[in-house]
Amino acid sequence: MSNRENVDQLQVEPSIKLFEGEKALVITGIVGFILAVFTKIVIFIQGPVILPEGNLNDVFSFNAAIGSFILSIAAILPLARLKKHKRKLIRWTFVAASLYSYGIETIQNFRGLNPRFSQEATLVDLMAGMVFAVVSLTIVILGLLLMVQFFRIKKPFERHLLIIGTRYAFLSVLAANAAGIWMILLQDRLIGVSGNFIVLHGIGFHAMQTLIIPAWLLEKVQVQEIIQKRLVHIGSIAWMISIIMIGFQTALGRTVFELSTLPILTSLSLLIWFGTALTAAWIFLKIKKAAVKQESRASLSQL
C-alpha cells in the first residue's frame, strides 16, 4: 500500500464531536484525578491507613475510577441523541452525584471512617453513608437510562463503531453496577471464602475506556468496514465473556486470582480482547505514520 493510499485512508472529521458541550462533566472528571493525585501524595508521606477504619488507597482508586468514568460519559454523551433538556438533566445529575461521591469517600476516609460499612460512625456519619448509597443508585439509574438510549438509536447513525463499542461498554457497566448493588445489600465487598465483588465492580466500569477507545481508533482510518466491525465485536464479546466469568467466580465465593478453570478462561478472553485492541492501535499508528511522512514529503517538495 502506497503512502498516498494511507493518507486517503484517514477519516474525514465527523460532525458529532466527542466531549462537545460537556465542559462541566470534563471538569468534574478532572477533579477526580486531582483528588487522586493529592491522596497519592499523602499516602507517600504518611502511609495509607488512618485509624480506626480509613484507607487512603480506597480513596485514590475510587476518585481515579469515578474521574475516568465521568470523562468517558462526557465523551459519549454528545452521541446519545438526547433532547436538550434531558441531556442537561443527565449532565448535572452526574455532576452532583460525582461531587458528593468524591466528598464522602475522601472526607470520611481521611477522618478514619469507612464511608459505606463503618462500625465506628456517629448517627450523622451513618446518614451520610445512606445518602451515599442513594447517590450510588442514582448513578446506576443514569447509566441504565443512557444504555437504553444508546440501544434505541436506529440506523443510519454517524460514528457507528463508537455506538457499537459504547453499547457493549454499557453492558459491562451494567454488570459492574449489579456488583455494586450486591455490595450495598451485603454491606460488604467480600463473599464466601475469598470472593471479592470489588474486582467485578472495578473492571466492569473500565469498559468505558477498554471498549470505546479501540472503536475510536478504528473509526479514524478507512479500512474495510467488515474488518472494523469484526475487531470491535470480537474484542467486545471477549471482554463480556471475561466479565461473566469473573461474576461466576466471585458468586462462588472464590478469588479470580487463583489458578482454576474460570480464571484461566477469563485470562484467555482478556488476551483476545487485548489482541484486538492492540491490532486497532497498530492499524491507526501505521496509517497515521504514513500520512505524516507523506505530508512531510509534500512540504519538502514545495520548498
Side-chain angles (χ1 to χ4, degrees), residues 141-158:
I141 292 171
L142 289 176
L144 285 173
L145 291 175
L146 276 180
M147 182 182 73
V148 170
Q149 178 63 23
F150 272 95
F151 275 95
R152 289 179 61 188
I153 297 175
K154 296 179 181 179
K155 295 181 179 179
F157 44 72
E158 192 177 355

Side-chain angles (χ1 to χ4, degrees), residues 41-274:
I41 293 172
V42 175
I43 292 172
F44 178 77
I45 295 172
Q46 68 173 45
V49 177
I50 297 181
L51 297 176
E53 302 171 321
N55 188 334
L56 299 188
N57 283 326
D58 289 344
V59 179
F60 170 77
S61 58
F62 178 87
N63 287 336
I66 293 296
S68 62
F69 176 71
I70 293 301
L71 281 176
S72 300
I73 294 295
I76 65 171
L77 195 55
L79 307 177
R81 291 186 180 180
L82 289 166
K83 293 182 179 179
K84 187 175 181 179
H85 68 280
K86 289 183 179 179
R87 181 172 166 181
K88 183 178 180 180
L89 177 62
I90 287 177
R91 175 192 304 127
W92 289 107
T93 305
F94 264 126
V95 169
S98 300
L99 292 178
Y100 182 85
S101 299
Y102 290 149
I104 192 71
E105 182 76 25
T106 303
I107 293 171
Q108 294 297 75
N109 273 291
F110 268 89
R111 292 179 61 218
L113 298 175
N114 187 316
R116 299 171 186 80
F117 316 120
S118 178
Q119 302 298 316
E120 305 287 337
T122 65
L123 178 60
V124 173
D125 294 319
L126 290 174
M127 291 178 64
M130 292 174 63
V131 174
F132 193 13
V134 173
V135 169
S136 299
L137 288 175
T138 300
I139 293 176
V140 171
I141 292 171
L142 289 176
L144 285 173
L145 291 175
L146 276 180
M147 182 182 73
V148 170
Q149 178 63 23
F150 272 95
F151 275 95
R152 289 179 61 188
I153 297 175
K154 296 179 181 179
K155 295 181 179 179
F157 44 72
E158 192 177 355
R159 312 196 76 163
H160 63 282
L161 293 177
L162 270 176
I163 298 296
I164 293 171
T166 300
R167 286 172 172 175
Y168 279 112
F170 271 118
L171 290 176
S172 180
V173 169
L174 181 63
N177 284 330
I181 292 173
W182 193 255
M183 286 189 289
I184 292 174
L185 294 176
L186 287 177
Q187 286 292 290
D188 199 351
R189 63 181 61 179
L190 303 176
I191 182 173
V193 176
S194 55
N196 192 339
F197 277 110
I198 199 66
V199 178
L200 175 61
H201 188 63
I203 293 178
F205 271 111
H206 280 302
M208 298 302 290
Q209 296 85 46
T210 59
L211 302 187
I212 293 176
I213 291 176
W216 175 77
L217 290 174
L218 285 169
E219 75 163 10
K220 291 292 182 180
V221 294
Q222 289 182 345
V223 297
Q224 291 182 7
E225 184 177 358
I226 190 171
I227 295 176
Q228 292 175 321
K229 286 186 175 180
R230 280 180 180 175
L231 283 172
V232 173
H233 280 298
I234 292 172
S236 298
I237 290 171
W239 178 271
M240 289 307 306
I241 290 173
S242 71
I243 292 297
I244 292 170
M245 296 295 178
I246 291 171
F248 275 124
Q249 181 74 358
T250 304
L252 291 173
R254 298 167 65 179
T255 176
V256 297
F257 302 108
E258 68 180 24
L259 195 62
S260 59
T261 303
L262 289 179
I264 290 172
L265 291 175
T266 299
S267 299
L268 291 175
S269 297
L270 288 175
L271 280 174
I272 294 173
W273 160 79
F274 182 71

